Structures are given as structure tokens and as C-alpha cells.
Amino acid sequence: MDFRKFLQQNTVYLDGGMGTLLQKAGLPLGELPERWNVTQAGEVQAIHAAYFNAGSHVVATNTFGANCLKFTENELEEIVRAAIENARLGAKKSHGTQEKFVALDIGPTGKLLKPYGDFEFEDAVETFAKTVRLGVKYGADLVLIETMGDSYETKAALLAVKENCDLPVLVSCAYGEDGKLMTGASPEAMVALVEGMGADAVGVNCSLGPKQMRGIVEKLLKVASVPVLVKPNAGLPVTDGKDTYYDVTEEEFALETAEFVKMGARLVGGCCGTTPAYIEKLTAKTKGISPLPITDKNRTCVSSYTHAVAFDKPLLIGERINPTGKKRFRQALAEKDVGYILNEGIVQQEKGAHILDVNVGAPDICEAEELPRYVKELQAVIDLPLQIDTSDSAAMEKAMRLYNGKPFVNSVNGKRESMAAVFPLVKKYGGVVVALTLDEKGIPDTAEDRLAIAEKIVAEAAKYGISKKDIVVDPLAMTVSADKNAATVTLTALRMIRQKLGVHTSLGVSNVSFGLPARDTVNAAFFALALENGLSAAIMNPNSVEMQKTYYAFCALKGLDENCGEYIRFATEKLPAFQTVVQAAAQSGNIHGETPLQSAIVRGLKTEAAVACESLLGVRSAQEIVETEIVPALDTVGKAYEEKRAYLPQLLMSAEAAKAAFEQIKKNMSQAGSSVKKCKIVLATVKGDIHDIGKNIVGTLLENYGFTVIDLGRDIPPETVLNAAQAENAPIVGLSALMTTTLPSMAETIDLLREKAPAVKILVGGAVLTEEYAAKLGADGYAKDGMGAVRYAEEIYAKIK
């Protein structure tokens, strides 16, 4: 049976954990489990058969880590071929009569993509693509992308699937206790991204037990128009000193996961710690529950790498990253003054813009090169969704492909040539597209004709499979100084488009006042009229006091501002200091009273941090700069991260900016022959574990707080860790493990250090660890994230210095 049809009509049962079962079957510590597809095929087949016997409709191949980064191309092909064959044979050996499907399982690469890591986006796409092509070659029924902790890597994997096959694809991410991915994405952001790109289902797996997942599942079900997948862990890992097990029983797991089916989840299974017994209980508990219908939520939204912005209230689109009428901006583009352009974005974000328009169309500027570049640069320091603004389809495609999230695209129009160029890109990469009401005949003079063009665009988009919820119509604001009826026609068109076509709308509001004095006054009045006539999003200058007043007052008056809270904050906090803030920001980028160096580090501006530090070195000592400038700035971002006001990307970009400042200090101090380094710390991912993203993040942060980091890498034997700690006379050792199967290796390393280097303080971390588990392993400290590791190291250093 076709899997997509089966999914539409049934609750689909997935399988459970694989790694722990292989370990129980004898998988040696440190051996890659994917190799067992070839060397121990019978054991793998038996596990698949057991899951089918338990009631699973879909089993995932034993290829979670099968990629060209770990295996040669020849070995990778043999592993994928054997893995799919093992799943097929498992299905044949099983006695169940249910529909049975084989999913090619794809997990994360273990690398962090640029700009936060060193892995190029296109390299990630090709890495996943090689595995996908093999899965297609050897007959997988569908693809399961799972346990993703980064939205950008998720996009790379999904793009690889969509470009190399037409198989159904399920996308599932691993969220933390805060309900976010490791790099900050919310469930709503991930739904926007993967649903926009055409995934057949979106979901959550790993990291959490069913109780802890409930809030995430609720959010997914609220916004997703595709089936929702849920694969909880069997709770959290615990140890009795000898064995590791999970704290949720089969019965508890089945009861709690059955609730997700009642809520509307369409695909359910298990992750770490679950076994065929868990799946058997789950299928029994949900046998009589009819699947709820999958409904289109009709939600217009765009997203960044952290959050989604829905068109459920009027939105402000910052217009300042655009060379039109801006001499200084054109100069910055010509001179490649990235700092100036990033600062324009930062100021608009801090002034309350919801989305930023990005346009680099100017004479002598190659948009196909510069637009993708500035999209990447802006996304490195700003977490707002971006509006990719260009009429160059080549530039549009490059920017959309590299964009981390679901972009706002400006624009398409009623010309056949425009629609033929833009709609395939929107369909492939996902996005919400602005539709301008002009065609081969130009801009119509009447509201009725503009509505007709909008209807034509919506109808043509439907032919490409693009819903009208992903189209925002711009009926075009024309200057009233040239035509006294221009504003009236636009307002009438706005109202007709919202009422008759049922799509959202946008306008470049300031166009209406060209050629007039006191333009802000005209713009604000027109803005209010446009909002009343159905305007959904305004492209405007966030630095305009009059426009901001109009916006907050309108939202309060129309019941779009609960208890007038946003208006009160604007009137009492933002408005009094508005002009001062704008002036300060225009001069230095500093709107919070920070020094230039602190401001650059907080905002992740590397070049500006280096320049500011270099200027300080002429008048202040290196030690003073570190203690009064760099560390306080890092603490500001670190505190925001710990309080969930900032996320990993901001933390890492701030660390990179601090690193740029430190490079200036190193250069200065090498001449003086002095140092400001703290103690040494040895870091390692334990034997058998090849995931080192978390360790690398910890290392980066520790270095920027002045510690000397000896990074041993991944898959490190206990003896190597001990030798390094002794040779370097390091008072602290940090150990990381992501996989439950490598926790015994961590325990072995800790035991060896305790025996041979008892004075060393041992810090542990990783997705499978808890503070309680770390204590039972004998560790001195546990860090749930990078800043936790910094705080622990600072505490130990304070005692020994």
C-alpha cells in the first residue's frame, strides 16, 4: 500500500530504540552499530522482526549514523544495502499481518553548520544526499529524518531528500526541556520550515520522556497542517551502579503516549530505552482510538532559526536594509562595510520590527553574490525572519536556499514571466511570497483591476501547489502628490483583497508621501487608514516615532493588545527615550549604555570587536580589558542564555566576537611577553561516541573566558584522557557523551581518573545525562549546557588560583 495513503487513513505505529538492543545483543563498546548490518545481520533482523511482531507499521533501518563522514563510499553503500535488506527480512520473518514499511533512518551528522560551526551548508546537503540516493537505490519505502537539534541541519537533510527522490519524508527533532532545539528553534518555527518544504509529517523524538514532551506535542498539533509524529524516550536514564536503565515502564509509556493519539498525533513510537515490549503495550492501549482528522490550520507565517512570526496581528517590516534613497547604505554596499549593514538590522530589531526586509539591489552590485552573503551575515547576529527582496530570480534562489527558516519573499507579480520564475522557488524551498498587483499592462488605476491581478496570481500559484495562505498581496501604495486618488484606490483594493480573496496584505507605506514635506505625518495617517482597511504587514521605518505611535495605538484600540500591555510599555518605556535611542544607535550601535567593545561582543560583531579592542589597548592594560570589557559582555549574553532570552547561536557569535578581541590582546601581549590565561582544562568525547558538537561549544566558551583548553577530540579511550590530564597538569577534565551506549565508557574513564589522578575535578555533560546520573557515575560536576561548564570552571579556578 502507498505509505502516504496509509498515513492519511490510519494511526501509524513506528518502532522503538535500536542502540541499547544492539548493545544487549553484544555490540562491543566503541564499535559503530551501523557495521552490524553487515557483520551481524541476523541480530539486526531479529530486532526488526520483534518490532513488527509488536505491531509496528514502520521500522527504521539501522542507519542513524550512516554517512560519508564516518564511512568510505563503498562501505556506506554496503551498510545501507544490508540495512534495508535486514529490515525487509525482519518483516518477512515476523508474524504480524499489518501493513509493513521500511524507513531509511537519517540522524544528524554530529557537526555544527556555519556560521556557528565549521561545516558548510552545501557540504551537509551532499552528505545527506549520498545516503538518500543509496536508500532509494536499495528500495526504502520512506525516509525518516530524526533527532535533529539544529534547524539549519534539518533543512539540509530535508533538501537532500527532496532533491534526490519523491519518497515520503518524516521529519522529527529533539527538543530540550525548554521546548527548544539546541540552536534555539521553537516547535512553531520547525513546523513552518519543514511543512513549507513539503515534509509529509513533522514531529518530536528523543531527549525527553512522554510527560516532558506534552507541551511540545500540544504546540505541534496546534499549528501543523501535516501529520504529527511523536517518539518519546522511556523517561530518563538512571543507574544502579552496574546497569543503566530508564525510569518509565512499558505500561506508563503506553498510557502517556496513548494520550498523544487522543490529542491527534498520527504517528507514534519510541526512542531511547524503548523496546518491542513498549511498542506492544502502546499498540494495545491505542487499538480502539480512531485517528483524528488532519486539518489545514490555514496559518500564514514565516520563520527564522528561532521562532515563527504568524500573520495573526499587524506586523512591522523594517525597511532600512535597502539602498533606495539611502546614500550611506549604498556606500556601505560598495565598500562591503558589513558592520554598518548589520547595525542597521540590529537597531531595527531593537526598535520592535517583526521582520527585516533585505534588499541589496544597486548599480555595480552583483545581487546573486551579495544577497545570499548578507542574508547569512544578518542571520548570524539577528534572529528575526527576513524578507528576501529582489527581482533577480538567481539571487532569490541562492538566498532562499541558504536561508535558515521559512523566508518572506518579495516578490512575484502578475506577469507570466515573473510567476514562472518565482513560484517554483517558493514551492521547492518554502516561503511566503509577496504578490504585487501589476502585470504586463502595468499598475492598474482601479481597485477592481488590482483585485483581478491578485486573483490571477493566486490561481496560478495553486497550479504549483502553493496555497493562498502563503501569498501576501501588495496592492501598491502610490504617491498622493501625483494623484489625489492614489491613496483611496489603494485602500479600496486592500479592503477588497482581504474580503473577497481572503489573503493577507502588505504595503510599502512610505511610498504614499513621496514629494511631500513632513512625510512622517502623512505616512502615519495613511498607515492608520490602511490598518483599518485590512493591512496585515507594513514595510516601514522602525525609527519613525509617528509610525510606532500609530501601530501601538491601533493594536490597543482594536483589541489586539491584551490589557493594552504593549501600548503601555511603548508609552512608558520606549517612547520617552525613543529619539535619544535612535541617535545613539545611529552613532555607535550602542543603545543600552554599553561600551563599543561590550556592544560589539553582545551583538556578535567580530570586526567591530577587534577594532574596539585594538583602540583600547593603547590606553588600558590587557588584563583590565579582559576583566572590565570582555568578560562582562560575555556574562551579559551568558545570563540571557541561561534565562532563555538568548539561544545558542547568539552565544556562539558573541564568543566569536570575543575571540576576535582576544586575538588583538594576544598580538599585543606576545610583544610584551605576558599572559592572562587561567588554568588548563582537558576536554574529550568518550570512547565509542563520535558526537562532539556539545564538547566543541564548551571549548569555545571556555577559551573566551580565558581558560586553556586541551581538546582531545571524540572517541577518546580512558587512558588517553588520563595521560593528557597528567601531562598537562590540568585541574579539570570535561567528558561528553551523547549516546546511551557510551555511558559505560564514561564511567570507565571516571573510574580511571579517580584511581590515577584523584585531585582532578571531573565535569560531565551530554544529552543522555542528568545531574543525578552524573553523581552516580562519580563525577564532581554536571553541566547541562556550555554556560554551565563555564560557571563550574570559574568556581574551581577561584579555589585553586
Side-chain angles (χ1 to χ4, degrees), residues 54-244:
S56 295
H57 296 114
V58 177
V59 299
T61 56
N62 180 31
T63 54
F64 180 80
N67 59 59
C68 59
L69 301 178
K70 296 181 187 176
F71 304 100
T72 65
E73 292 197 8
N74 288 339
E75 186 178 18
L76 178 62
E77 178 162 7
E78 180 61 12
I79 284 172
V80 174
R81 181 204 62 77
I84 294 173
E85 181 179 55
N86 290 336
R88 293 285 182 213
L89 290 173
K92 288 181 180 179
K93 292 177 179 180
S94 66
H95 54 67
T97 59
Q98 76 274 21
E99 294 286 344
K100 299 172 186 177
F101 302 93
V102 173
L104 175 70
D105 195 28
I106 293 179
T109 62
K111 287 183 172 288
L112 200 57
L113 274 62
K114 288 184 176 180
Y116 316 117
D118 59 2
F119 202 33
E120 292 283 359
F121 177 78
E122 292 297 349
D123 290 341
V125 174
E126 181 55 23
T127 297
F128 290 120
K130 288 179 178 179
T131 302
V132 171
R133 288 191 287 266
L134 292 171
V136 174
K137 179 178 179 179
Y138 291 107
D141 299 313
L142 65 147
V143 178
L144 171 61
I145 299 169
E146 65 173 336
T147 324
M148 289 292 178
D150 174 33
S151 60
Y152 209 24
E153 187 176 27
T154 305
K155 177 173 180 174
L158 181 53
L159 191 58
V161 175
K162 302 299 284 188
E163 288 186 334
N164 288 279
C165 71
D166 59 1
L167 294 178
V169 55
L170 319 177
V171 180
S172 181
C173 295
Y175 295 86
E177 292 179 354
D178 62 351
K180 310 282 187 181
L181 299 191
M182 176 184 69
T183 49
S186 67
E188 295 88 348
M190 293 311 299
V191 169
L193 170 62
V194 305
E195 190 176 293
M197 290 181 66
D200 293 277
V202 60
V204 53
N205 77 289
C206 205
S207 296
L208 304 170
K211 284 184 178 178
Q212 293 83 9
M213 273 188 183
R214 187 179 182 93
I216 297 164
V217 175
E218 288 173 346
K219 290 179 179 180
L220 292 172
L221 289 168
K222 181 178 179 180
V223 300
S225 298
V226 296
V228 169
L229 174 159
V230 186
K231 287 181 61 179
N233 284 352
L236 298 172
V238 294
T239 181
D240 57 9
K242 294 182 180 180
D243 298 317
T244 298

Side-chain angles (χ1 to χ4, degrees), residues 50 657 740:
T740 54

Side-chain angles (χ1 to χ4, degrees), residues 350-369:
E350 293 177 336
K351 296 310 301 170
H354 304 108
I355 300 167
L356 296 186
D357 184 77
V358 183
N359 184 315
V360 296
D364 301 321
I365 296 295
C366 178
E367 283 193 74
E369 293 180 6

Side-chain angles (χ1 to χ4, degrees), residues 3 43 55 107 161 214 223 283 317 333 360 477 488 579 664 670 707:
F3 179 76
E43 296 288 355
V161 175
R214 187 179 182 93
V223 300
T283 57
I317 303 174
L333 278 178
V360 296
T488 300
Q579 294 288 13
Q664 295 301 316
S670 64
F707 292 93

